[in-house]
Amino acid sequence: GDSVTQMEGPVTLSEEAFLTINCTYTATGYPSLFWYVQYPGEGLQLLLKATKADDKGSNKGFEATYRKETTSFHLEKGSVQVSDSAVYFCALAPQGGSEKLVFGKGMKLTVNP
Amino acid sequence: DAMVIQNPRYQVTQFGKPVTLSCSQTLNHNVMYWYQQKSSQAPKLLFHYYDKDFNNEADTPDNFQSRRPNTSFCFLDIRSPGLGDAAMYLCATSRDFRDDEQFFGPGTRLTVL
C-alpha cells in the first residue's frame, strides 16, 4: 500500500541554520504531496503542497519539490527561526482524492536562539 | 475567517464515562474526518463522513462512534473511554474527495482519569 517515510528526529538546530527534512514515498500513479506543521498544543496546518511531478511548493521560506524519479519531497529552509520549532509531517493523498491521507511519523524540530 | 472549530480544546473524563467531542466548520465542505493522535505519533484516521455517508476504518474500535447531524457539525462519541484512549483528537474537512487538501481544526486533548 501507499506509505511515507520521513526523518524522525528529534532535531535541534541553532537559529539561522539550514534545514532539510527528507521525505520519500511509495504510491501508485501520481499522488499529491504535502508538508503539514504542528505547533505545540495545536492541530495540523498545511505548510505547502505539490500536486504533480516537478512542482515546487513554497511557503514561509520553506520549499519542497515533487521528484517523481526519486519519489521524494524533501523540505528545506535556508535559515530557520525559533518560531519554526514544531513537528513536521510529510503526507500524501493517493491519486484521485484525499479520502485517505497517508502521513509519515513526523519530525520534531527545535530551534535555539 | 472560514475555519474548522473544535470544542472543547481540553476534555477530562473518567474511566468508562461517556464523552462527546464536537467539531464544526464554516467551509461548507462535504467531507469531515476524525483522527486520533497519540503522543509523538502521526494522526490515525478513525472514520469520515462524505455528506451523510459514514465510512469507518477497519481497525477503529467499536467504542468510537460518530454523528453528523448536518453539514456543519460532526461529533465523536467515546462510549466507554479507557486509559488508552487518552490522545489528541483532530477534526478535518475537505471539499470533496476530488479536492486533495484537508483542513484541520486545533484539536481536543482528551485526558482519561
Side-chain angles (χ1 to χ4, degrees), chain A residues 7-43:
Chain A
M7 289 172 57
E8 294 184 28
V11 169
T12 301
L13 296 175
S14 297
E15 205 165 25
E16 299 183 3
F18 183 83
L19 170 70
T20 298
I21 306 177
N22 288 339
C23 173
T24 58
Y25 68 90
T26 302
T28 55
Y30 292 84
S32 295
L33 301 174
F34 305 86
W35 278 101
Y36 281 88
V37 59
Q38 187 173 32
Y39 298 103
E42 298 186 10

Side-chain angles (χ1 to χ4, degrees), chain A residues 37 39 45-48 58-63 77 79 84:
Chain A
V37 59
Y39 298 103
Q45 299 176 24
L46 180 65
L47 182 59
L48 52 84
S58 61
N59 186 25
K60 299 182 181 180
F62 290 89
E63 292 184 340
K77 186 173 186 181
S79 176
D84 294 326

Side-chain angles (χ1 to χ4, degrees), chain A residues 34-101:
Chain A
F34 305 86
W35 278 101
Y36 281 88
V37 59
Q38 187 173 32
Y39 298 103
E42 298 186 10
L44 276 68
Q45 299 176 24
L46 180 65
L47 182 59
L48 52 84
K49 71 175 184 178
T51 57
K52 60 182 187 295
D54 300 324
D55 266 3
K56 176 185 283 188
S58 61
N59 186 25
K60 299 182 181 180
F62 290 89
E63 292 184 340
T65 301
Y66 189 144
R67 300 287 188 199
K68 180 68 174 173
E69 65 275 15
T70 54
T71 62
S72 65
F73 193 54
H74 304 322
L75 183 68
E76 295 183 338
K77 186 173 186 181
S79 176
V80 293
Q81 305 301 311
V82 172
S83 58
D84 294 326
S85 298
V87 179
Y88 292 82
F89 291 95
C90 185
L92 70 82
Q95 185 174 356
S98 69
E99 181 177 349
K100 289 180 185 288
L101 263 186

Side-chain angles (χ1 to χ4, degrees), chain B residues 27-47:
Chain B
L27 296 159
N28 204 32
H29 282 175
N30 289 317
V31 192
M32 296 187 76
Y33 308 80
W34 278 105
Y35 290 87
Q36 179 191 64
Q37 185 183 26
K38 295 190 175 180
S39 181
S40 303
Q41 296 184 19
K44 176 181 179 299
L45 182 64
L46 296 173
F47 26 59

